[in-house]
Structure formats: C-alpha cells, structure tokens
Amino acid sequence: MDNPTFRSDTVLSDVHLHCPSKSHLMVRLNAVGQPVFLSHFKLLWSTEDLASGKHVREITTGREHQCRSGDELCDKDSSNIKIEGELNSEGVEALLDDDGDLEVVRRPRSASDLQAEDLLRDIVCPVILMKGKEDAFEDEEQECTCSDVIKIEHTMATPLEDVGKQVWRAAFLLADFILFKRDTFRCCTVLELGGGTGITSVIMGTAAKRVYCTDVGEDLLTMCEQNVALNKHLMEPGGGEIKVKELDWLKDEFCTDPEAPYSWSEEEIADLLDHCSVIMAADVFYDDDLTDALFRTLYRITHNLRNSCTVYLALEKRLNFTLRHMDVTCEAYTHFRNTLNDLENLQDGKMKYTVEPIKLDFCQFLVYERIEQL
C-alpha cells in the first residue's frame, strides 16, 4: 500500500456521442465478446454531386458559421439576440422566493438558439437491437439516402490494444481533407496504415483507384472488410477498390502466407510498390513503441516504392495530467513530433523527407466535432 498504482484498461471514444447519427444499434458480439454497434455517419454530400465535381452543403468550422444557410441566418440570429437583450435589460428587478433565495430571470430561448445548439452537439444514446427487431433500421433508411450516409460497424469501448475497433475524430478530419482535395487522389493507389474500422479508406475509395487498408488482428480486419462491403455503393460511381490486408509494423516483411487470412499475394505487393503514391494514417500515435514501429515501417515501404510518395498523418493532441510531471502534458504527441523531426533530418543518402503542416481551414463534409486539438 506504500506505492499505490492506478490502472485503467478501458479506452472510450466519444465520437459516437456527438451528432454522427440518430441511433447506434448493437448488432452482434465479436470474437472476443465485445458488443459491435452499427452507426450511420452523416455525409454532407451525395455521390451525384461528387461525380459532377460539385461541393454541396459544405460547412465550415467556427461558432459563427454553425448555421447551414450562411451569413443570412447568422445575422438574423445576432439581431434576435440583440433585441431580446435590450428587452430583458429594461426594468428587471431582483425577485426573491419564499425562502429568500434569488430567482434569476433568464432570457427566453429563441428557435435560432435551439437550432444552433442542435448543430453543435446532439447527444445520442445507444439502442440495442433485440432479436426479431431487424427492421429497426427502416426509419433511418427512409430519412437518409444511401448517398449521404456511411455505415460503420465499431465498438464503443475497448482495451488499449483494441482501440482500432473504435471510430476516432482524426479519421473524420482526414476524410474531410480527402473530400476537399478529392481531385488530388483521383486514380491513385493508396496505402492506409492502421486503418481500423476502415472509415477513412472508404472515403478515399470514392476517389482513388485502389486502396490497401491495413491493420493487424483477424477480428479487426473482418470488421473492416464488413464496413467496406456496407459502403460499396459509395465507391461504385468512381470505380474505386479497397483491399483489406494485414500489415504488422513490428515485422519487417509483408505477410505472404496463403493460409493466413488477409495475407498479401506477390502481385499485390508488386502493385503497391510500383504504383503507390499516397500513404495515410489517422490517430495511430498513442503509444511510443508503436509510433517508432510505424516510422520504421514507413521508411521501409517508401524506400522500396518506385515513385515519390506523399504521406498524410492526422491525429488528435490529447492532453493528460500526469503524476510524474504533476502537470498537463501530451507525451504521445511530443514523441510523435520528435520522431517526425528525426525522419525529416535523416541523411542516409537514400531518401529525403520534407514535412509540411496543413491548415485546418478546409470545408467540413462530415458531421463531427472538429476540435482545436486535431
């Protein structure tokens, strides 16, 4: 008892709590007994508009742009607030209840306030799909067309080693960037490292020619493959293809064992090395050892590519109070930046890397909280 230790083996993503869909239906238990939910994540575009090159219903970040109809609605809300403020500030007297406590007179809430609040955050409670209730999806299906919803199977809480089964904000951020710059990725061959549920690969599949979505663990890869199948309709207009494959950062070679599920064929490895021009990863920097392993894998793969390659990394800077520092720190992010600097300063005569930050002023195409730490 002299040296107490505090341990927590459960990690929770709060993405599913904020506006992704109207409900989350538990559809099954996975191989390790974790409940698997099917969520509908709203897309602010349709496949028809993507095919025509249009951007529809784009929303930008910032509180002043939360309304979809633009500055007109924002100006209207501002004028309402001003008028109501003037009315409430005239002749308001301090009122006391029977016990002598102060009764606070509050400004009436306008419809515009309620609308803005709904756009900012809509807390959603999980719904368990019971046996014999398979038609529970019908209401949602009627309200949203296939072209503006992405369906993802995921878990809501896992041990640290299974966090790939959850959905994370950085995946949405990277998906937003892909949709904003989709012409850049058109007809590309893309590799995703740590694809998890596959949501970013699915979005990339709407533009790219072929996406290799990789991770480790048969249970996770099976879920990822299921998500690819659920969203095949989003990729059909552009003819994109997604291949779910195993790629272990702790190993130096691709898995080519024909008996192993999600292994690579020699043709697939050759296709990746000959044509890959984009590598991406979202929210995979949470463990220092895995960060080191990812950068070693990144160096090994880019060293063997025939063409130059652009790597897109998205992450959330998570601040934590630690007893060791007695302060708020972000050790995982710090280690990531140090390792990234080492890669940029690498001088081995074989490869040259340049690092460039991307401003987050591009449009938001998915409904989620784009927080400052992304």
Side-chain angles (χ1 to χ4, degrees), residues 28-36 155 157-159 162 165 219 223:
R28 61 184 174 87
L29 297 177
N30 61 19
V32 294
Q34 298 165 342
V36 175
T155 57
T158 63
D162 277 343
K165 296 176 181 177
D219 194 39
M223 175 189 292

Side-chain angles (χ1 to χ4, degrees), residues 293-360:
L294 181 140
F295 276 100
R296 287 195 298 269
T297 300
L298 195 61
Y299 175 82
R300 173 173 58 85
I301 292 177
T302 53
H303 177 67
N304 292 317
L305 293 180
R306 172 172 294 185
N307 304 308
S308 60
C309 180
T310 304
V311 182
Y312 296 93
L313 305 176
L315 69 157
E316 179 177 339
K317 184 178 180 181
R318 293 181 174 85
L319 304 174
N320 297 289
F321 180 86
T322 62
L323 294 176
R324 183 157 62 96
H325 295 91
M326 293 303 293
D327 197 2
V328 176
T329 63
C330 192
E331 295 182 276
Y333 177 79
T334 301
H335 184 77
F336 158 75
R337 289 308 302 256
N338 291 337
T339 310
L340 188 64
N341 291 336
D342 292 341
L343 187 69
E344 187 178 20
N345 297 327
L346 182 67
Q347 296 180 355
D348 61 356
K350 300 177 182 179
M351 300 288 294
K352 178 178 176 60
Y353 297 87
T354 58
V355 177
E356 178 183 352
I358 297 175
K359 293 183 179 180
L360 303 187

